[in-house]
Every structure is written in C-alpha cells, then in structure tokens.
Amino acid sequence: MSENKMLQIAKSRYTTKHYSGKLIPREQFRELLEVLRLTPSSVNAQSWKFIVVSTKEAKEKILEGFLDFNQERVAKASDIIVFAVPEKITEEHLQKVLAQEIKDGRYAKESVIEGLDAGRRHFVGLHSQTVADTLAWETAQAYIALGFVLFAAAGMGIDSTALEGVDYDKLDEILGLRERGLRSVVAVSLGYRAENDSNASRPKSRLPTEDVFEEFVG
C-alpha cells in the first residue's frame, strides 16, 4: 500500500535556513493566501491580519524588525507574511463576522442567529478580561493559521520558515500596527531553498511514538 500523501508531506517538509531568491509564481502565492483566509479559528472570530511583504523594497524596510540570524531569510525569501492579532476584539469586528456568516448562508434558520452570535460573544468575553488575555488567545489562533500555511506550502513544493527571531516592538513600529490596535506575533518566510541549504539534507529528528502519545482508557 502506498504511503498517504499527507504523511509524505509531513516527513519531507523541513525548516528552510537559506533561500535562493527565486519568486513564487503569483497564482500559487494567491492560493497560499487563500489557505490562510480559510484557516479555522475559535468561534470563527477570524481576529487576525496577515501582512504580506513581497517587494525587495518592502523586505528591506522590515529587516530591522528581525534578529540577525533571520535577516538573510527575510531578504532572500520570495515573500514574508507577518501575523498580527488585535489587542481588543471590537464590536465592529463581531458585527462584520456575523454579517458575513449570514451572507454566506451559514444559518438555515434566522431564529438561531441571535443565540449563536451570543455564544461567540460569550467566548470572546472569556478571553478578553485584559489585553494580555486577548493577545494570548488570539496568538494561539494565529499559530493555527501558521500551521496551515506551513503544511500547504510544503504540499505545493514551496519551502518555508516560521520566523520567531523577531523584535516585535520594532516590527510593530515599522508596520504601524500599534496605532491600529494590532500586535505582530509571528512571521513566516516562503520561497525556495538555496542549493547550499544544509538543513535540507539533515534527517528529521522527532521523539518516538511512545514518548509523545498516551492513551486514556478511563
């Protein structure tokens, strides 16, 4: 029996250390952005912004927001996406999400809309006691999106790196995020590996099954 395609991708995907500078075809890149748009989020709140950085000039402007070891990746990658989340989920945003759900036909009966909207607001409220609460919850949602795009990119033959070596205060300043009530929380570089990327030839190393799974039998 042939190995599952998803498992093949998981086995072959790796964190790219050096990029070639080659551009991702724009149609393919738009498909990756659509993957991000379709990413699930808790109570479908979709409280994120994905800031796309593609031109040479734009990448040069954000370099100062990344630690030294990440700067070559930012410069040589085809595209960078910065994931930002809100300090507060606003009433305007909640109404926008609800209006889009109604437009998309999410609710078969109008009678359920008020209750489902109230349910979303309940969970948003649980995680909005402080700015720190909101940022923690929304950062967790952003990492769901990060996982989606890393896996989708690998399936499309595109290399990637989750960029956590970031001066977030500086990156927020460069991108003008704080004045919009947003904070950067992670970024991803996308493109194609350089020929000398040594990480491509290293064997994948993960803990064995018995160390990471346990079964609860009640």
Side-chain angles (χ1 to χ4, degrees):
M1 182 181 293
S2 61
E3 190 171 69
N4 179 276
K5 175 65 173 176
M6 298 299 102
L7 182 56
Q8 291 176 12
I9 294 170
K11 285 184 173 181
S12 62
R13 193 241 160 231
Y14 80 101
T15 295
T16 303
K17 302 297 186 182
H18 301 283
Y19 287 90
S20 67
K22 180 182 174 182
L23 183 69
I24 299 169
R26 293 299 85 183
E27 180 59 32
Q28 223 176 9
F29 185 63
R30 283 190 289 271
E31 289 176 353
L32 272 180
L33 296 184
E34 183 66 359
V35 167
L36 277 175
R37 191 181 73 85
L38 295 172
T39 297
S41 59
S42 181
V43 295
N44 201 33
Q46 305 171 68
S47 300
W48 42 39
K49 289 287 185 185
F50 305 118
I51 295 95
V52 179
V53 182
S54 297
T55 68
K56 181 176 182 291
E57 294 76 17
K59 282 183 278 188
E60 287 175 351
K61 286 181 180 178
I62 67 169
L63 273 184
E64 195 177 346
F66 292 87
L67 303 188
D68 290 349
F69 68 88
N70 264 332
Q71 290 191 356
E72 182 192 15
R73 294 171 197 166
V74 171
K76 290 290 189 68
S78 171
D79 302 274
I80 307 296
I81 302 174
V82 177
F83 295 60
V85 299
E87 297 172 339
K88 178 183 179 181
I89 300 174
T90 64
E91 175 65 24
E92 179 185 9
H93 180 78
L94 291 172
Q95 290 183 11
K96 181 183 292 187
V97 171
L98 181 62
Q100 189 65 48
E101 288 176 336
I102 294 170
K103 179 181 178 182
D104 290 337
R106 289 272 294 172
Y107 306 113
K109 299 179 180 178
E110 287 190 13
S111 59
V112 306
I113 294 175
E114 184 176 345
L116 292 171
D117 181 48
R120 173 162 45 232
R121 290 169 182 275
H122 171 72
F123 282 100
V124 168
L126 285 178
H127 298 284
S128 301
Q129 300 302 307
T130 66
V131 170
D133 289 341
T134 302
L135 291 176
W137 189 48
E138 291 306 314
T139 296
Q141 308 310 309
Y143 271 77
I144 296 173
L146 176 65
F148 260 59
V149 78
L150 292 176
F151 199 77
M156 296 165 68
I158 295 169
D159 296 312
S160 61
T161 310
L163 302 170
E164 292 188 299
V166 183
D167 180 342
Y168 291 111
D169 290 338
K170 190 64 181 178
L171 192 58
D172 288 351
E173 177 188 331
I174 294 167
L175 295 172
L177 296 180
R178 296 290 175 93
E179 51 263 43
R180 298 167 57 197
L182 297 168
R183 305 276 190 96
S184 58
V185 294
V186 71
V188 62
S189 54
L190 298 155
Y192 301 100
R193 69 193 70 172
E195 291 183 3
N196 65 341
D197 189 8
S198 59
N199 213 29
S201 60
R202 293 189 182 104
K204 189 180 291 292
S205 179
R206 297 292 189 268
L207 291 171
T209 301
E210 59 269 22
D211 283 349
V212 296
F213 295 102
E214 56 182 64
E215 182 179 3
F216 176 69
V217 294

